[in-house]
Amino acid sequence: MRRRTVSPGAGLEEVLDTLATAPALREEAAAPASAAPPRDRSRERDALQTEFAFELPRGFVDDEGQVHRHGTMRLATARDELRPQIDLRVKENPAYLSVVLLSQVITQLGTVTDVHAGIVERMYATDVAFLQDFYRRINSEGHTHAAVTCPLCHGSFEVDLSGGRLGES
């Protein structure tokens, strides 16, 4: 296996794209001229949804008193899940793991784009519980929809957990 180095000027995405296209180029050169054209893998890659919008039940109140309820969360990577394991705050208090993990995957919260552990710490418990469930849903199930059954009429339907207020369509 060849080892590749990434220089500070070259981005990781550029190296990954080069690696992804290299086998396709070798196959293309080895294939006869009458072979079918290779699939467009860039469209397949673009089809994967990596960010999900959400709306907090209560909202984060910043230092100026502004409430931030709408945000986005990206899919977690293996690094996102491993990094909190070496965090000293998590070692001292394992319950802090979700705070660190959520701070890494929330990309935006209202007008706040630098979401860090201090912001997640200041969120209401209801919102943190919502975000933990939201994280679990998008990373294990790949969507934000849940099948529910009405306790009164026993009718089944689907709800989107990513936001929307009760009674809105």
Side-chain angles (χ1 to χ4, degrees):
M1 182 168 149
R2 286 181 34 205
R3 197 175 255 186
R4 297 199 183 257
T5 57
V6 180
S7 65
L12 181 59
E13 293 297 322
E14 180 182 325
V15 172
L16 291 175
D17 287 342
T18 303
L19 290 174
T21 57
L25 292 174
R26 282 192 296 262
E27 289 173 7
E28 200 172 280
S34 62
R39 292 187 328 205
D40 184 8
R41 293 177 192 243
S42 64
R43 279 194 199 140
E44 291 173 347
R45 185 174 41 222
D46 292 339
L48 176 64
Q49 183 179 358
T50 59
E51 283 204 344
F52 297 82
F54 62 83
E55 183 178 344
L56 296 174
R58 298 203 187 271
F60 167 70
V61 182
D62 65 15
D63 294 333
E64 287 80 36
Q66 185 178 1
V67 179
H68 304 274
R69 295 183 68 200
H70 298 278
T72 55
M73 181 184 292
R74 66 173 173 78
L75 290 176
T77 63
R79 178 177 286 174
D80 292 327
E81 294 203 350
L82 293 171
R83 189 177 294 146
Q85 301 297 329
I86 60 171
D87 192 300
L88 294 177
R89 299 168 293 187
V90 174
K91 287 184 178 184
E92 291 175 9
N93 181 3
Y96 202 75
L97 183 136
S98 64
V99 171
V100 174
L101 187 56
L102 288 173
S103 70
Q104 293 179 144
V105 296
I106 298 172
T107 56
Q108 186 172 358
L109 186 58
T111 57
V112 180
T113 56
D114 180 26
V115 180
H116 51 82
I119 288 177
V120 178
E121 284 177 352
R122 292 175 39 206
M123 288 183 179
Y124 293 109
T126 307
D127 291 337
V128 173
F130 169 84
L131 289 169
Q132 288 170 332
D133 184 58
F134 191 74
Y135 174 91
R136 182 187 56 77
R137 285 190 175 280
I138 67 172
N139 284 289
S140 63
E141 299 171 17
H143 60 81
T144 60
H145 298 247
V148 296
T149 303
C150 176
L152 299 175
C153 70
H154 302 291
S156 297
F157 56 97
E158 192 174 84
V159 294
D160 185 358
L161 299 176
S162 64
R165 308 308 315 150
L166 291 175
E168 289 183 357
S169 55

